[in-house]
Structures are given as structure tokens and as C-alpha cells.
Amino acid sequence: MKKSERLLAERFLLQCIFEEDPDFVDKTMAAFSVSRSTVYNYINRLQENGELERVGGSMPYRIVYRTSRFTIDTSKEHSEDRTYNRDIAPLLAELPLNVQKIWRYAITAMLNNAMEHARASAIVCVVSRSRLCTIVGILDNGVGIFRRIMQEHKERTGELLTSEEAASLLYAGGYTVDPDSHAGQGIFFTSRLMDHFAIRSDLQLFTPHEDDADDEGAERFRGTAVQMALANDSTRELGEVMARYYDPEYGFVRTEIPVARFFGGSFPVSRSEARRLGEVLKEFHEARLDFAGVEEIGPDFAHELFGVIARRRPDLYLVPENALPAVAAAIRRAEQKA
């Protein structure tokens, strides 16, 4: 077998093991027309290279990540680009250029948040790499992102938010505790660029991906912890992702909201919930509302959002997606009464 074919087979094998597929040997044999002994030669080679380790049990192997960790003293380092260029870029230099561009945007955006908003004395960055993907964690010992949002909101409006409501302000994009200096777009675009993205602070979790909500309610983290993951062979392009939400003339005017995540997994029923959703959409002209995971909505919520708010905002185009029949029917009734 040629080297290129062997590398493809090894990657396929690694992907099966990553997905914990118990038939990883048979599937690799079938996909590449090789013998069982050849597959185990691949496994031995991957173990010798430090890419796999044997752990026993029903899934006898697991992926090994090469991990680099460093700490940023915020009293001495204030430039996220220097940190990235010095410490992180060399670790990702072998990745395709489009993936490098995504990582540069994502990591510098999250480092900037930690440096300028978190009031942290230290930031820890952890970069874990395998042949399949790269995982980056950015952790700081600051006040905590949701606590910071709650504080800013109370100072500005006098209203005390819950941590869940604070997290919901981030889903549309455009929210920032420092509007004079920041556009508040970094978290939104980073979360759309990544395969996996989550922010944890205290006991609150922010993620637009339902698959990443499995560890909700885990142990309390006092500062802010950001975790990002992206396949090394991702075909995603930074410019193409941003173009989905940007208008050449008007800027960031399109957004999308995972409704189930926005409301913490509960189904929205009240007018005040609809107004809260409408408030985060006030700067947008188009909003895709993903109702996946929402089994029903209340008639008051539907009427307020798709009747009252839609009538008052003729420039706002609301696009419901993945709505179950009961949800779609409630939306239709609300639109008919508008």
C-alpha cells in the first residue's frame, strides 16, 4: 500500500476509535480492502508514534493528545496577538491555512475577552492536538463571564438577571459589557466556526450546540472556562462563515438563535420571554430561530413574538426552523392574528 493510502487508512481507523465504534477493525478492513493483520500493524504503528494507547475494556484503545499548556500573567501581557504568535501559532503551523485562520480568529477573540473583560490576574491556555482534531481551552481566574454580565446589567438597568438569562444575551451576538470599545461579536462567530464550543462559569453553561450540553450541571468553575474543538481537515472558511451573517453595506444584521438553549431547555410560554428574545434581536434584520428540541410554545409567547413584535418590526424577518407540528401551528396562528 502506498504511503498516502496508509495515512488515509490510519486516519479512518483513528476516527472510528475516536467515535468509540467497537467495529473499528472490521470497518477499516472493509473500507480499504486490507487484512486484519494489516489493521493491527496500523494500530501498532500508531501506538509507537504515541497517537494511540491501549486502555483495555470494551473499547481497548483511545486517542492520545499532545498537550501544551502555558499561563499568561495579565499584569505583564496585554496583547492577545503577541501571545498567539509566540505560543500558539507554532503549534498549529502544520494545519491547512483555512484552519489556521479560524484558530487565529477564535483564540485571539477569546484571549481578548479574558484580558479586557474578565478582571483576571492569570489566564491558562491549553492546546491539545491529535491527527484528527485540535482542542483549545482558555481558563481565567476572573469574576466570571455571566457574573460580569449580571453586574453590568444591574448597573445599567437596575434589573437583576439570573445566570441563565445572562447567558441568553450571548446567543444572538452583539452583546458586550463595554459597548464603547467592543462590538460583542467574538463569541458568536467563534461558536459558529468551531465544531464544538462551550463556555462555563460558576454552574452556568453557554453553548449553541445541544450536543455540547451533556455536562450541564457539572462542578462549579469560579472564573471562566472556554473550550473549543475543530477538525484538522475542516473545510470551513472564515470569510464564508462571516458572510452568512454580514451584509456588505449594513454589517452584522443576520443572526440565529437556538431557542431551546436560549430558554435553558424549557419551553417558552409568556409574553415577557418573547420580549426578552425580541430585545436581543433589536439590531438585526433577519433572525433564524431554531426550534429543535422545543416540543411546544405558549400561545402568549407565540402571539407576542410573531404577532406583536413582528408587526412593530417590519424590518425584522423571523425565520422559524426545525419546528415540530405543534410549534409550527402556534406560529401560524400568531401570524394570522398579527
Side-chain angles (χ1 to χ4, degrees):
M1 178 178 285
K2 296 179 181 179
K3 181 179 179 181
S4 60
E5 295 174 340
R6 174 177 58 75
L7 291 174
L8 285 174
E10 288 178 352
R11 195 187 189 290
F12 180 90
L13 176 62
L14 286 168
Q15 186 67 42
C16 289
I17 293 172
F18 177 78
E19 295 171 358
E20 299 185 354
D21 188 333
D23 298 323
F24 60 93
V25 173
D26 290 342
K27 286 187 176 179
T28 305
M29 291 169 58
F32 294 91
S33 301
V34 294
S35 66
R36 186 173 300 273
S37 62
T38 298
V39 174
Y40 277 101
N41 285 336
Y42 296 157
I43 292 173
N44 291 336
R45 175 185 169 85
L46 291 168
Q47 287 182 281
E48 291 170 1
N49 290 345
E51 297 184 72
L52 271 185
E53 65 179 354
R54 186 170 179 84
V55 292
S58 57
M59 193 63 205
Y61 301 97
R62 68 181 174 195
I63 304 291
V64 176
Y65 289 86
R66 294 168 290 161
T67 297
S68 302
R69 173 191 293 258
F70 52 91
T71 301
I72 302 166
D73 182 343
T74 59
S75 68
K76 298 177 181 177
E77 181 60 82
H78 310 288
S79 302
E80 66 273 11
D81 66 312
R82 289 179 186 153
T83 298
Y84 181 87
N85 292 337
R86 180 186 64 236
D87 299 318
I88 303 173
L91 302 176
L92 309 180
E94 295 182 1
L95 297 178
L97 183 58
N98 67 304
V99 177
Q100 290 187 54
K101 288 180 178 179
I102 289 173
W103 275 122
R104 180 177 176 82
Y105 175 88
I107 293 173
T108 56
M110 296 304 99
L111 285 176
N112 180 267
N113 283 349
M115 289 177 174
E116 299 193 6
H117 299 316
R119 300 170 180 169
S121 62
I123 303 167
V124 175
C125 187
V126 182
V127 181
S128 299
R129 297 166 292 150
S130 74
R131 194 187 300 193
L132 297 179
C133 72
T134 301
I135 302 171
V136 175
I138 298 175
L139 306 89
D140 69 66
N141 64 353
V143 67
I145 183 172
F146 307 121
R147 194 181 298 269
R148 179 85 166 88
I149 292 172
M150 292 161 66
Q151 291 173 351
E152 185 277 336
H153 189 83
K154 186 177 181 182
E155 291 170 2
R156 181 168 51 84
T157 69
E159 182 182 28
L160 182 62
L161 298 178
T162 65
S163 61
E164 186 176 277
E165 290 170 336
S168 73
L169 294 177
L170 300 174
Y171 281 108
Y175 178 84
T176 174
V177 296
D178 185 10
D180 291 335
S181 303
H182 293 268
Q185 300 173 11
I187 290 174
F188 178 87
F189 283 111
T190 299
S191 67
R192 271 62 184 182
L193 287 162
M194 292 290 119
D195 293 331
H196 301 282
F197 180 88
I199 301 176
R200 179 175 297 285
S201 184
D202 291 323
L203 293 175
Q204 183 63 47
L205 178 72
F206 168 90
T207 176
H209 311 298
E210 198 63 35
D211 291 345
D212 292 331
D214 293 342
D215 64 344
E216 204 151 21
E219 186 176 349
R220 181 186 298 273
F221 184 83
R222 290 292 298 178
T224 301
V226 179
Q227 186 176 62
M228 305 174 279
L230 183 65
N232 293 339
D233 63 351
S234 175
T235 58
R236 211 165 287 147
E237 295 283 351
L238 178 63
E240 290 179 1
V241 171
M242 291 198 165
R244 294 208 302 261
Y245 307 100
Y246 264 94
D247 180 272
E249 184 174 355
Y250 298 104
F252 183 28
V253 294
R254 292 186 290 270
T255 189
E256 57 189 17
I257 301 280
V259 178
R261 300 300 310 152
F262 187 92
F263 291 108
S266 62
F267 70 94
V269 298
S270 66
R271 292 187 183 275
S272 60
E273 288 170 307
R275 291 177 190 133
R276 182 152 58 89
L277 179 53
E279 181 65 18
V280 303
L281 299 177
K282 63 182 180 181
E283 301 297 331
F284 295 95
H285 296 322
E286 179 181 323
R288 295 187 174 277
L289 305 178
D290 185 356
F291 282 91
V294 179
E295 295 185 0
E296 56 183 324
I297 58 176
D300 288 348
F301 171 86
H303 181 259
E304 185 70 24
L305 183 59
F306 294 97
V308 178
I309 293 174
R311 183 178 67 249
R312 291 174 180 170
R313 287 281 317 275
D315 62 322
L316 175 60
Y317 180 40
L318 298 176
V319 186
E321 297 180 331
N322 299 315
L324 293 174
V327 174
I331 293 172
R332 285 195 301 272
R333 288 193 297 269
E335 290 174 333
Q336 290 167 2
K337 294 179 181 179

